């Protein structure tokens, strides 16, 4: 047997335009923005590797035992500490490989930025299209609510009353009822199409109900 759901189909509320067009709400665009930062930092790292490298070292240790100092043997215990430091400067002398790495990281950065901008443009276009569809179906929905459904109910009631009074035959009654049901079916189709457009907007803008 077929069981009908208790919940009735109803039109969803229209989302706020200002909140929906916020780029920060789109997870995919946020991920690509992070990738842009990663690509930019990678380029900075590759550029930094071409700069001179300064090394600084400090040591502090104990050498227990006899050490020869200026030709004389001296005993050093735990209380004696030897401390020193060293400084070095490393200068790259072959830049070609690293320059290629810098260029590659720069190309990668520009590629990620271009992909982000294209994804952003596509997202705006898809969201705008979804809004236009929702507005179109909302206009149709309002027509059926204000005019279509009352007219369908009036056609059905008048046909039933005329049939009871013998003014029309059964075939005319069926035609009138069928016309009324067609209007109601078109209304529910508009509700469905409108809701699908709203769901598409909520999907693109990551909105929750």
């Amino acid at each position: 047997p077929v069981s009908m759901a208790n919940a009735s189909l109803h039109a969803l509320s229209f989302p706020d335009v200002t909140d929906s067009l916020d780029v920060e709400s789109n997870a995919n665009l946020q991920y690509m923005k992070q990738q842009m930062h990663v690509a930019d930092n990678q380029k900075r790292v590759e550029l930094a590797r071409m700069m001179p490298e300064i090394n600084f070292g400090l040591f502090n240790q104990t050498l227990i035992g006899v050490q020869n100092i200026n030709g004389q043997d001296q005993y050093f215990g735990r209380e004696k500490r030897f401390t020193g430091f060293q400084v070095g400067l490393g200068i790259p002398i072959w830049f070609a490989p690293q320059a290629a790495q810098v260029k590659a990281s720069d190309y990668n950065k520009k590629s990620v930025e271009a992909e982000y901008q294209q994804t952003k443009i596509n997202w705006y276009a898809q969201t705008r299209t979804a809004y236009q569809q929702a507005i179109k179906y909302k206009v149709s929905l309002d027509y059926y609510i204000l005019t279509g459904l009352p007219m369908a109910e009036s056609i059905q009631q008048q046909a039933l009353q005329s049939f009871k009074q013998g003014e029309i035959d059964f075939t005319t009654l069926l035609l009138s009822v069928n016309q009324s049901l067609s209007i109601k079916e078109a209304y529910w189709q508009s509700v469905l199409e409108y809701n699908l457009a709203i769901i598409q907007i909520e999907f693109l803008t990551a909105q929750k109900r």
Side-chain angles (χ1 to χ4, degrees):
V2 178
S3 60
M4 301 298 292
N6 293 327
S8 60
L9 181 65
H10 63 279
L12 302 175
S13 58
F14 207 93
D16 189 353
V17 177
T18 56
D19 292 340
S20 299
L21 294 180
D22 183 11
V23 178
E24 301 297 327
S25 65
N26 188 275
N28 188 34
L29 289 174
Q30 284 301 299
Y31 169 76
M32 297 194 67
K33 285 182 69 174
Q34 292 180 355
Q35 294 300 106
M36 288 172 55
H37 290 305
V38 170
D40 183 61
N41 291 333
Q42 182 63 37
K43 180 182 177 181
R44 293 174 183 270
V45 170
E46 298 298 340
L47 285 172
R49 290 176 178 173
M50 299 182 66
M51 303 298 292
E53 182 179 356
I54 300 176
N55 299 313
F56 179 80
L58 177 68
F59 66 88
N60 186 288
Q61 62 184 0
T62 299
L63 299 177
I64 301 176
V66 178
Q67 304 292 332
N68 187 280
I69 306 297
N70 296 328
Q72 295 183 358
D73 291 337
Q74 296 183 25
Y75 178 79
F76 292 90
R78 293 181 178 276
E79 70 281 359
K80 296 292 184 179
R81 306 289 297 177
F82 293 88
T83 304
F85 68 91
Q86 61 181 9
V87 178
L89 178 64
I91 301 177
I93 59 175
W94 182 245
F95 290 95
Q98 191 58 37
Q101 290 293 333
V102 172
K103 183 177 291 187
S105 62
D106 184 57
Y107 285 150
N108 180 62
K109 176 185 174 183
K110 292 179 180 178
S111 175
V112 173
E113 290 175 350
E115 185 178 359
Y116 169 78
Q117 293 298 332
Q118 186 60 48
T119 302
K120 186 176 179 180
I121 292 173
N122 293 339
W123 176 75
Y124 272 119
Q126 291 174 354
T127 305
R128 184 172 61 251
T129 300
Y131 267 110
Q132 292 173 348
Q133 291 292 324
I135 292 173
K136 181 181 72 173
Y137 294 131
K138 184 67 167 60
V139 172
S140 176
L141 199 59
D142 291 340
Y143 162 77
Y144 282 109
I145 293 174
L146 296 176
T147 304
L149 290 180
M151 182 173 62
E153 193 65 26
S154 176
I155 291 173
Q156 183 173 335
Q157 292 299 326
Q158 288 180 4
L160 289 173
Q161 184 176 0
S162 297
F163 178 74
K164 289 179 181 180
Q165 294 176 355
E167 298 176 356
I168 60 175
D169 57 11
F170 187 73
T171 302
T172 305
L173 171 66
L174 288 180
L175 291 175
S176 299
V177 172
N178 184 63
Q179 182 182 4
S180 174
L181 292 177
S182 296
I183 296 175
K184 293 179 181 179
E185 181 184 3
Y187 162 73
W188 290 116
Q189 184 65 31
S190 295
V191 173
L192 174 62
E193 292 172 341
Y194 168 77
N195 285 350
L196 289 176
I198 296 299
I199 292 172
Q200 177 69 3
I201 294 174
E202 293 176 344
F203 169 75
L204 291 171
T205 57
Q207 293 191 27
K208 296 181 179 180
R209 288 193 172 269

